Amino acid sequence: MALFGRKALFVGRCAVSLLCTAIRTRQLHIRLPSNIRRNWISVGISGGLCAVPFIQDSISHEALIRRASSLVTDSATTFLSQTTLALVDSLTQYTKTVHTLITLHKRYVANINRLTPEDENAVWQVIVKQREQLIKYKEDYKQFENNWMNAINLLQLAAEAAFNAGADQASATAQTNLQIAQSHVEQARQHYLEAEQKLKDSNAEFSERPKITSPAVAGNEDEIPEAYLRED
């Protein structure tokens, strides 16, 4: 009997403690500003999601969905901006390297017989380095293009979702950002394709190292009297 009494007393104390805690929480909630109080609603599924802001009295579910869809388009736009910048930069670097390689290779071939072995080797190593850079930039271009395409698809879905949710301004802004990004990439691609064609025509990317004629021999050839070079 005494044991039963102690258990009942323990249960009673626990109940009182829980009740006091609930009262303190209620008092704290009452002291909070009304706008924070209305926002303080949590949604939990299988262990809990993060707190979701929800003003029950003044904002409808439709308005909250429109606001969320706008946030999604903002995030997708940021993703697209970064991937566009990376893709355009890789295309630009590739194009610049192509022009540098073509110019360097052309001068190398034209002056090969006037260079000392040391200078010829130094110039050829620079050509090899430029070719390696081309490979790197082309790999970067392919990687960034995949990321960019994913960003394009993501923003298109976000724009469609915003439009369906009634966030017309967010959808229109997303469509404008899509067009701007595609325009920048298309311009960079055009320069890239033009450089590719020039590189193919120049054979600067795959030409083998030519055999060197001795500068002395070349000098003797330059000193041959013009009369011997003319055809009678």
Side-chain angles (χ1 to χ4, degrees), residues 140-160:
D140 291 344
Y141 157 62
K142 295 299 182 182
Q143 176 185 352
F144 291 139
E145 187 179 42
N146 290 334
N147 292 333
W148 184 76
M149 290 301 301
N150 289 334
I152 287 287
N153 294 332
L154 181 62
L155 188 54
Q156 286 175 338
L157 290 175
E160 182 180 355

Side-chain angles (χ1 to χ4, degrees), residues 206-221:
F206 301 111
S207 65
E208 297 181 358
R209 190 173 186 175
K211 295 180 179 180
I212 304 173
T213 304
S214 173
V217 174
N220 291 335
E221 291 178 354

Side-chain angles (χ1 to χ4, degrees), residues 78-134:
T78 300
F79 182 35
L80 178 61
S81 298
Q82 294 301 319
T83 54
T84 300
L85 178 62
L87 178 56
V88 170
D89 184 61
S90 65
L91 287 170
T92 302
Q93 292 299 326
Y94 182 88
T95 301
K96 288 181 178 179
T97 305
V98 166
H99 289 303
T100 301
L101 176 59
I102 292 174
T103 301
L104 183 62
H105 183 266
K106 183 178 180 180
R107 292 178 179 177
Y108 171 80
V109 172
N111 297 282
I112 185 66
N113 292 328
R114 298 192 183 105
L115 297 173
T116 65
E118 293 77 10
D119 291 339
E120 183 277 333
N121 182 68
V123 174
W124 182 255
Q125 293 305 317
V126 175
I127 291 175
V128 172
K129 185 66 175 179
Q130 293 296 311
R131 290 176 174 178
E132 293 174 351
Q133 286 292 100
L134 283 183

Side-chain angles (χ1 to χ4, degrees), residues 5-63:
R6 286 195 299 271
K7 288 183 178 181
L9 179 61
F10 175 75
V11 172
R13 287 177 178 176
C14 290
V16 171
S17 177
L18 291 174
L19 180 60
C20 291
T21 301
I23 292 174
R24 286 196 300 270
T25 303
R26 177 62 178 173
Q27 290 174 345
L28 174 62
H29 185 254
I30 292 174
R31 288 197 299 270
L32 290 172
S34 59
N35 60 335
I36 298 178
R37 222 172 34 239
R38 287 194 297 269
N39 285 334
W40 215 8
I41 298 178
S42 298
V43 177
I45 300 176
S46 300
L49 295 174
C50 61
V52 177
F54 182 79
I55 303 177
Q56 187 176 8
D57 297 337
S58 58
I59 299 183
S60 64
H61 289 294
E62 290 79 5

